Amino acid sequence: MPRIRHERFDCSPGCTVEGTLRYIDGKWKGVVLYHLLESTLRFNEIRRRIPNCTQRMLTNQLREMEADGLIARKVYAEVPPKVEYSLTQRGKSLEPVVTALKAWGDANVTIDPQRSQAAA
Amino acid sequence: MPRIRHERFDCSPGCTVEGTLRYIDGKWKGVVLYHLLESTLRFNEIRRRIPNCTQRMLTNQLREMEADGLIARKVYAEVPPKVEYSLTQRGKSLEPVVTALKAWGDANVTIDPQRSQAAA
DNA sequence: CATGACGGTATCCTTTTCGACACTATGTGC
DNA sequence: GCACATAGTGTCGAAAAGGATACCGTCATG
């Protein structure tokens, strides 16, 4: 069971920073959010965009985000199953946050392929 | 030992979102960052601002952030020990991110004191 | 008949996180 | 002599996160 994160926002008063963090934290949520900001996607479309994320993890993250009201899950009762994920209004409202994260990352985070390979 | 987080940024190409997340993730980093944006603080000053964070955790988080080049640690060789923490340039550059996180949180995160108490 | 795509579950196991608690050194005040 | 404040460190253990792998049903294709 995914277990809802953010059970305790008991940081100092006024600290909604942590609260927000709890929503977008979780190994792959940032990326998922980022991709869904661009377009609605099917399960395996997301999967292909994040090759290092296992199926189980992706399901978990999506479920948590759904529970948090960030994304909407639409199931088509077709015979090759079809499920589409999209952002809710609430999810879309995270855009400035994701944008800020990406902007800082682009400027400050060095993605070193060598190191990534070495670590793997 | 704190163990450096962000060892693998191996998400999909262009995803520096996750990369940034790895820097500000970690239970109390958001709050610490937030408080240090306001002013330089001593160890116990931070501690008093985040009562729910244990001493050990705070030390760990501060150490990680220092290793990440986000904060500077200045030790005064006085006899009641005195250590001041402040943001580096890199740390300060996170301000838009923290601001975005806080803005979204203020609008979307309900800090329910009842629930916090109950959980505690 | 076997294989693959689809969108998942279930189970197992390892790693990481984090909280509790005790302990350190030094100097000051009582 | 004792407690207190400062800024930590060390150890322990529970819980959570996350990775690996196998499995499900259905339909189409080869």
Side-chain angles (χ1 to χ4, degrees):
Chain A
M1 216 142 294
R3 240 107 219 239
I4 285 77
R5 262 164 231 273
H6 49 76
E7 274 186 358
R8 300 170 58 175
F9 297 117
D10 50 0
C11 27
S12 53
C15 180
T16 49
V17 176
E18 280 293 318
T20 306
L21 239 17
R22 293 252 170 279
Y23 281 100
I24 57 181
D25 177 25
K27 196 90 191 224
W28 307 102
K29 286 191 185 175
V31 219
V32 171
L33 227 36
Y34 181 72
H35 287 298
L36 285 184
L37 270 174
E38 291 183 343
S39 67
T40 292
L41 293 172
R42 297 182 56 177
F43 185 81
N44 275 356
E45 286 178 328
I46 303 177
R47 219 151 98 76
R48 276 187 287 271
R49 277 169 171 73
I50 319 176
N52 300 308
C53 180
T54 62
Q55 195 166 27
R56 196 184 72 94
M57 279 318 294
L58 184 55
T59 309
N60 282 354
Q61 303 300 306
L62 288 171
R63 289 288 190 280
E64 283 192 38
M65 296 169 83
E66 195 193 349
D68 288 340
L70 298 180
I71 62 177
R73 184 166 173 271
K74 187 170 182 183
V75 184
Y76 293 84
E78 297 175 4
V79 84
K82 179 178 172 183
V83 182
E84 278 185 356
Y85 291 93
S86 58
L87 292 182
T88 59
Q89 270 318 112
R90 187 182 173 93
K92 282 179 195 154
S93 72
L94 271 172
E95 182 166 8
V97 176
V98 177
T99 305
L101 286 169
K102 178 154 172 50
W104 193 87
D106 285 345
N108 296 275
V109 178
T110 312
I111 298 183
D112 185 341
Q114 243 66 27
R115 221 157 127 276
S116 285
Q117 291 303 325
Chain B
M1 215 141 296
R3 240 107 219 243
I4 285 77
R5 261 166 231 274
H6 49 78
E7 273 187 356
R8 301 170 59 176
F9 298 118
D10 51 359
C11 28
S12 53
C15 180
T16 49
V17 177
E18 281 293 318
T20 306
L21 238 17
R22 293 255 171 276
Y23 281 99
I24 56 181
D25 178 24
K27 195 91 189 226
W28 307 101
K29 286 191 185 174
V31 219
V32 172
L33 226 36
Y34 181 72
H35 287 299
L36 285 184
L37 270 174
E38 291 182 346
S39 66
T40 292
L41 293 172
R42 297 182 56 177
F43 185 80
N44 274 358
E45 286 177 328
I46 302 178
R47 219 152 96 75
R48 276 189 285 272
R49 276 171 172 71
I50 319 176
N52 299 307
C53 181
T54 62
Q55 194 167 29
R56 198 183 70 93
M57 277 319 295
L58 184 55
T59 310
N60 282 354
Q61 303 301 305
L62 288 171
R63 289 288 189 280
E64 283 193 37
M65 294 169 82
E66 195 192 352
D68 288 340
L70 299 180
I71 62 178
R73 183 163 173 274
K74 187 171 182 182
V75 183
Y76 293 83
E78 299 176 1
V79 84
K82 178 176 171 184
V83 182
E84 278 185 355
Y85 290 93
S86 59
L87 292 182
T88 59
Q89 271 315 111
R90 187 184 173 90
K92 282 179 195 155
S93 72
L94 270 172
E95 181 166 9
V97 176
V98 177
T99 305
L101 284 170
K102 177 154 172 52
W104 193 88
D106 285 345
N108 295 276
V109 178
T110 312
I111 298 182
D112 185 341
Q114 244 66 24
R115 225 158 125 274
S116 285
Q117 291 303 326

